Amino acid sequence: MNILTALLLLVHLIPVSAAKNGVTSKNRKRIMPDPVTEPPVMDPVYEALLYCNIPRVAERSMEGHAPHHFKLVSVHVFIRHGDRYPLYVIPKTKRPEIDCTLVANRKPYHPKLEAFVSHMSRGSGASFESPLHSLPLYPSHQLCEMGELTQTGVVQHLQNGQLLRDIYLKKHRLLPHDWSTKQLHLETTGKSRTLQSGLALLYGFLPDFDWKKIYFRHQPSALFCSGNCYCPLRNQYLEKEQRRQYLLRLKNRQLERTYEEMARIVDAPTKQLRAANPIDAMLCLFCHNVSFPCTRNGCVNMEHFKVIKRHQIEDERERQEKKLYLGYALLGAHPILNQTVGRMRRAAEGRKEELFALSSAHDVTLAPILSALGLTEARFPRFAARLIFELWQDREKPGEHSVRILYDGVDVTFHTSFCQDHHRRSPKPMCPLENFVRFVKRDMFVALGSGSTNYYDACHREGS
């Protein structure tokens, strides 16, 4: 899903539904490009493969790395749901035939897959906040429903959970063996794909967990803004960003010719084809190694795919340069970052609650957080993307607490706007907690250039 579609979904409150089964998804721009493995020129096929994020046996990860005299205090995990079936179909074409049941003889596979299904089948009495209790706990349709989580999506998050278990539980003993409900904070939007992704990660993290100890809270908004969702200025920034995207599309004649050609092939009006966001279905077909559709007029092909994908990447690049999205991101991400700061401060004070927080979310949740943090090189969140905040205590100076931030296993702490300068001045491999608190409580409003000192005033001042 590109950023325009993501923003439109958010502004029209269209629910994003459960992800699907197939090849997984990677992201559009790696957090720090790798000069050894990445092509010297932007390659839309390479970027699409990254977006597919196909599960691998081993993954390079920097989570949990710290000097021996630091103690891990709490961990806060934000994920995008795993691989899913499209939210749209290309007009006048057959729906992709992708199976969303979970079976052992289909790749990708995870050793805990059958145990996960068995455990989910025993969770019908789980205590979830309404309306989550009405959602299925794992995908099960032979022909995926729109937006349903796929086997690939489940495997991606079982793998994420197992990786975090090896680091945070086995190595750092973040939770005691007799952990309790209050030591977890679990939340998700009301989509089956996010609930199921959260459960898959949780099962990888805490295999065979006691259902009586699990409580998922419902977040009605994809911004996880709880009671602070009304923000008129945020919506004004969003409208400006959508206008920028529209103008960029109008300038791209090759893109328009591609849409016209695809519309001729499927015998649909160009406007209808464009409105159906064909890249969403095409990415699913690409990731699952399924052919693009053909009709008597010809075939949708890889050249069409590359033109649209290239435009997505150019759109993201311009988005960073024009900075219209930044105002939206700062106001959109503030509530969830403010909640995270609150949990960190309580943990730093010694309270043994909410030591592991998991927010199972969407691309439109993670993208504003990344932008607000100043991570301008970060790729748009792939399927099963993970953004993690770690809180550490210096055992040699118990009153000092520090933060590490990791995106898809890469340490990005010193790429954030609030810790770049600290990195230049201090040899410590972490960022002081005070820097993060000051950023959320003050600097995010300063960055808006508004003179506001709190979220309510920033949201309700006259638009700039």
Side-chain angles (χ1 to χ4, degrees), residues 216-231:
F216 265 94
R217 294 166 175 81
H218 173 235
Q219 282 285 354
S221 166
L223 288 177
F224 284 59
C225 43
S226 300
N228 295 303
C229 292
Y230 181 63
C231 186

Side-chain angles (χ1 to χ4, degrees), residues 19-223:
K20 289 231 156 191
N21 161 347
V23 179
T24 107
S25 66
K26 284 204 172 176
N27 181 346
R28 289 180 199 132
K29 297 179 206 158
R30 187 126 188 116
I31 183 63
M32 295 310 297
D34 186 337
V36 177
T37 59
E38 300 205 8
V41 183
M42 187 275 292
D43 178 354
V45 175
Y46 173 83
E47 293 294 327
L49 284 169
L50 287 180
Y51 184 81
C52 290
N53 187 21
I54 300 164
R56 291 178 171 80
V57 176
E59 181 182 349
R60 185 180 64 178
S61 165
M62 292 295 292
E63 280 98 347
H65 285 227
H68 69 280
H69 58 90
F70 278 82
K71 175 189 175 185
L72 184 64
V73 177
S74 67
V75 172
H76 310 258
V77 180
F78 303 91
I79 57 170
R80 184 190 177 187
H81 58 75
D83 177 67
R84 60 157 172 77
Y85 196 73
L87 300 173
Y88 311 89
V89 293
I90 298 173
K92 298 190 176 182
T93 64
K94 191 178 178 183
R95 278 182 55 189
E97 292 187 7
I98 296 174
D99 187 344
C100 273
T101 57
L102 305 180
V103 295
N105 61 357
R106 183 195 304 132
K107 292 183 179 179
Y109 174 73
H110 190 279
K112 286 190 167 65
L113 184 65
E114 293 98 323
F116 169 75
V117 174
S118 175
H119 199 65
M120 292 304 106
S121 67
R122 297 193 294 272
S124 56
S127 173
F128 294 164
E129 186 175 3
S130 179
L132 301 179
H133 53 72
S134 64
L135 299 177
L137 302 183
Y138 61 96
S140 60
H141 294 93
Q142 284 195 325
L143 175 60
C144 297
E145 295 187 340
M146 303 305 287
E148 187 175 2
L149 196 69
T150 65
Q151 178 161 319
T152 298
V154 170
V155 169
Q156 287 168 327
H157 279 305
L158 285 172
Q159 189 168 292
N160 273 341
Q162 185 173 340
L163 183 147
L164 300 185
R165 173 180 175 79
D166 289 343
I167 295 167
Y168 295 136
L169 297 187
K170 292 184 178 179
K171 181 179 177 182
H172 290 290
R173 296 187 172 89
L174 176 66
L175 298 175
H177 292 300
D178 58 345
W179 56 271
S180 65
T181 304
K182 68 180 182 181
Q183 289 170 322
L184 305 182
H185 177 87
L186 310 172
E187 58 184 354
T188 177
T189 60
K191 304 299 173 192
S192 61
R193 67 178 171 273
T194 51
L195 175 61
Q196 292 166 5
S197 293
L199 286 167
L201 186 146
L202 190 65
Y203 189 79
F205 187 65
L206 293 167
D208 300 318
F209 56 74
D210 183 347
W211 280 105
K212 293 191 287 292
K213 293 184 178 182
I214 301 302
Y215 183 74
F216 265 94
R217 294 166 175 81
H218 173 235
Q219 282 285 354
S221 166
L223 288 177

Side-chain angles (χ1 to χ4, degrees), residues 312-337:
Q312 279 191 329
I313 297 163
E314 290 301 325
D315 178 76
E316 289 171 25
R317 187 172 296 157
E318 186 184 86
R319 174 168 63 96
Q320 296 293 352
E321 292 171 358
K322 293 288 180 72
K323 297 192 182 304
L324 291 172
Y325 182 73
L326 180 60
Y328 169 80
L330 288 164
L331 290 170
H334 187 270
I336 195 169
L337 290 177

